[in-house]
Structures are given as structure tokens and as C-alpha cells.
Amino acid sequence: MNFFRMSAHVCRLSVLCLCLSLLSCVLIGSSASSLVTVKRTQMHMGTLVSITALGRSHDDANEAITAGFQEIKRLEQLLSTWISSSELSKVNAAAGQSAVKVSLETMAVVRKSLQVAEMTDGAFNIAIGPAVEAWNISAEPRLPTSEELAAVKPLVDLQSVHTDVWERTIYLEKPGMRIDVGGIGKGYAADQAVLVMKKAGAVAGVVALSGDIKTFGRLPDGTAFPVGIRHPRKEGELLAELDLQDEAISTAGDYERFFDKDGVRYHHILDPRTLQPARGCQSVSVIAKEGIWADGLDTGIFVLGAERGMDLVEQLEDVEAIIVDADGRILVSSGLRNRVRLSKGSGQ
Ligand code: AMP
Ligand code: MG
């Protein structure tokens, strides 16, 4: 997975959070119902990961959090393209040569990515890897020449990604092809972390990999978990808040990894047709039962654009969205209108 390398800013934040978690597993409250809430933050998948668990004891909650972090680390070893021994790195290295045997999980992430690609008419495209590299998005983003982009365009070809479910292999037909699941993998990791936390005995909790958040259960006072959505243009301000119960939310924004050149914002979500940053939205937040769908769809809808994206959301069961279009207009899906609390002055 082409997870972003951490910026100095994120590094500083993570150091602070790590210090906090080393000092003590932060006990953020115990309730009348005698549940204990513990929160810890670590750096994984190139981003800050915060896990909160509610358990019947401090040890229960803490063990669940440890299990959640271990699961995320395990998945990173399978899916990260920064790790040369990962399964996806091996698939990429064998492009044009041979099929590579993978785990059930890697196969599941790739197959679901292909489903999201179908749902979004190819706007979501995990074969985007060579274009992500041309923009050097993960390190020091740069403007590639049109020749460079034209050279990698034939490689961004989902028809040349072959999955054999029975043999459990993935084969990339053209040399130089690269799969990048950075647009969907964090959502999947949040889902899987929640599963192991439940197994470890947590009663409720939240797993947040930066903007990919999955919740389960309720707070000690019986209320759902409140989450905030960042305003795409007003730093430090919220666009909206809503409460989640056994749901995931994932946000794709053009403010996450970007640079400005001659007054134009270049960011990390690429339109597979042009290999240029997608221009239809400022941010897309998708709410779904599973993080893998929320994460895949936020990226795909960002590329589709606000109107087509919202049309798709309205067709999908159990999927809702808040989209900020290119002009700063806020679109809220019908199933969310009486749940979401827009911040005062959140429009542009
Ligand atoms: P997200 O933050 O979930 O929107 O994911 C953004 C990441 O997905 C980027 O950093 C790339 O690694 C990858 N990506 C960029 N454009 C696309 C696309 N059109 N389809 C799938 N993945 C993409
Ligand atoms: Mg995504």
C-alpha cells in the first residue's frame, strides 16, 4: 500500500501521542456502568492510529487495544508497498512475469477494490500505482511532465489485473504495473482491528487511522460515538459532526497531501483517465457498515465528482455521504440529513 510517509508535522504529533501513551495508557473515564475507557495512539501505515477501547477492566481494554494495533501491523506487512517483502510488493515486482500466490486477506482487498472500481465506473483504480509514483505523492510531491504521464498511462489498466480466486494468485499482465491499495487499505485495517478487539473482550471502541474511523458499540452513557469531519478549507475547524454506532466513516480530501504551484492545488487523488488530480470535490466523507467500502468509495466518489458521486450513494443501501464540491457547496445524502450536525458557517 502506498501509505504516505509521515510529514515532520505528523511526526511531532505522533511523538506527543506516543509519549502520552507511554506515560500511562490514558484512562479517559470510567462510568456508572463501571466500564473503563482506554485510548492509545501509535504510528502505523504512515499515519497516526488511535484506538479507544471500553472494557470491563483496565486490563481488558488494554489487551483489546494491543490486539488491534498488532492486527494493523500484520496487515501492513501484507499490503504496504513501502515494505519490499509485502505480498503486494511481490505482486508488483512480478508484473509481466508471473502470478503470485497471496493470502486470503490480500485477495479480499484486491477483489473488493475491483468491485469498487466497477461501482464507480473505473474512477477508483488500484492500478494507479505508476501514476502515484510519477507524482511522487508519498514523499516530495512534484509536477510530472505530460510525457512522463503518457508513458505510464497504459499501465493504469485494470483489465490487466488478473485475480484467480481458486489458485489464490494475482497477476499483473504488463511489466511496470503497480497495484496501490492506499485508497482502501486503511478502511479494511480498521474493520479487521475491530474484529480482533471484540474477540479480545472489548465492549465498545473506536479505531481511527487518520480519516478512516470504525466504531463498535456505545459510550458508557449509552450514546453513540460522536465523530467530527474536518472542514476542507478552514484549518482546525469542523465541517460537521455526527454520531456513529457500529459504522465506519472515511474521508478523502484534497488537503491531505498537496502542493500549490502557480495558484493551482495539486493533490494525491488522481483521475485515472487524465492521471491529473481529480477536480470535482474538496472532500468526500462516506459512512458505511464496513470501513473497506467507506474508504474505497470516498476515493472513487472524489474522482467521480459531487453529483455523480451523490447519485451513486443514493443507490447504495447502508451507504451515506457528505460531499463538499469544488465550489465549497455541501451535499448531504438523504439518509443522513436528520443525523448530521453542520457547523455554523461551514459553507464557503
Ligand atoms: P484516500 O485518502 O482514501 O482518498 O486515498 C488516497 C490514496 O489512494 C492516494 O494517496 C493513492 O495512494 C491512492 N489513489 C489515488 N488516486 C486513486 C484512484 N483514482 N483510485 C484508487 N486509489 C487512488
Ligand atoms: Mg479512500
Side-chain angles (χ1 to χ4, degrees):
M1 190 175 315
N2 226 341
F3 296 117
F4 292 135
R5 284 190 167 158
M6 49 185 149
S7 64
H9 175 65
V10 173
C11 265
R12 276 194 297 276
L13 256 177
S14 71
V15 169
L16 180 71
C17 294
L18 280 173
C19 290
L20 280 177
S21 60
L22 284 176
L23 276 175
S24 68
C25 302
V26 187
L27 208 60
I28 59 176
S30 60
S31 75
S33 62
S34 81
L35 287 177
V36 176
T37 307
V38 181
K39 180 180 179 184
R40 275 158 52 196
T41 303
Q42 295 181 1
M43 197 78 198
H44 295 290
M45 293 187 167
T47 197
L48 276 186
V49 183
S50 290
I51 303 186
T52 306
L54 273 72
R56 288 186 184 82
S57 68
H58 185 269
D59 281 354
D60 274 8
N62 223 357
E63 270 171 35
I65 292 178
T66 301
F69 280 128
Q70 272 170 358
E71 180 67 359
I72 292 169
K73 264 195 268 178
R74 191 181 69 78
L75 292 172
E76 191 175 12
Q77 296 298 320
L78 293 181
L79 300 172
S80 171
T81 49
W82 284 109
I83 299 173
S84 60
S85 58
S86 79
E87 289 190 344
L88 275 191
S89 290
K90 287 179 185 161
V91 168
N92 288 340
Q97 296 165 33
S98 57
V100 174
K101 188 111 182 160
V102 295
S103 62
L104 276 174
E105 285 148 312
T106 298
M107 184 59 95
V109 173
V110 169
R111 297 278 299 180
K112 286 191 178 167
S113 299
L114 298 177
Q115 269 177 273
V116 178
E118 239 178 79
M119 291 155 80
T120 59
D121 222 358
F124 186 76
N125 184 331
I126 52 166
I128 200 81
V132 170
E133 275 176 21
W135 285 89
N136 205 20
I137 280 168
S138 313
E140 288 284 308
R142 58 180 277 273
L143 205 61
T145 62
S146 47
E147 288 78 22
E148 280 176 274
L149 291 180
V152 298
K153 183 79 172 72
L155 304 175
V156 183
D157 174 18
L158 278 183
Q159 303 309 316
S160 300
V161 176
H162 303 285
T163 57
D164 184 328
V165 180
W166 297 114
E167 294 292 325
R168 237 203 288 138
T169 58
I170 302 175
Y171 174 50
L172 307 181
E173 202 178 305
K174 302 177 187 172
M177 283 184 76
R178 288 178 69 80
I179 284 181
D180 171 0
V181 298
I184 194 166
K186 293 207 269 297
Y188 178 72
D191 289 337
Q192 299 306 109
V194 162
L195 285 183
V196 299
M197 287 173 70
K198 283 181 178 171
K199 261 195 208 152
V203 175
V206 182
V207 176
L209 295 95
S210 183
D212 294 284
I213 299 168
K214 169 101 178 206
T215 72
F216 65 104
R218 286 177 164 258
L219 285 164
D221 65 3
T223 56
F225 286 97
V227 294
I229 299 173
R230 182 187 151 162
H231 195 292
R233 289 293 177 272
K234 298 177 185 166
E235 223 188 313
E237 288 187 31
L238 289 183
L239 177 80
E241 279 179 90
L242 76 161
D243 300 330
L244 297 184
Q245 193 188 338
D246 299 310
E247 285 171 302
I249 183 167
S250 183
T251 298
D254 67 1
Y255 50 81
E256 279 174 41
R257 194 82 192 180
F258 72 95
F259 64 98
D260 287 310
K261 193 167 191 305
D262 303 328
V264 180
R265 175 179 293 228
Y266 297 93
H267 62 86
H268 69 137
I269 302 168
L270 303 176
D271 186 330
R273 289 167 305 184
T274 61
L275 306 190
Q276 294 288 329
R279 295 283 170 216
C281 303
Q282 294 177 2
S283 81
V284 175
S285 300
V286 175
I287 292 99
K289 293 270 175 228
E290 288 182 71
I292 193 166
W293 297 119
D295 194 7
L297 284 168
D298 71 356
T299 313
I301 288 171
F302 194 106
V303 176
L304 271 184
E307 274 181 31
R308 284 185 70 196
M310 195 50 91
D311 284 349
L312 172 63
V313 168
E314 294 294 0
Q315 287 167 32
L316 297 172
E317 213 174 302
D318 289 336
V319 175
E320 303 295 339
I322 301 168
I323 300 176
V324 182
D325 75 8
D327 300 320
R329 279 186 295 259
I330 304 166
L331 288 74
V332 179
S333 64
S334 52
L336 217 54
R337 280 180 204 143
N338 54 4
R339 282 180 65 189
V340 75
R341 302 181 288 280
L342 291 177
S343 305
K344 255 199 182 145
S346 53
Q348 306 250 313

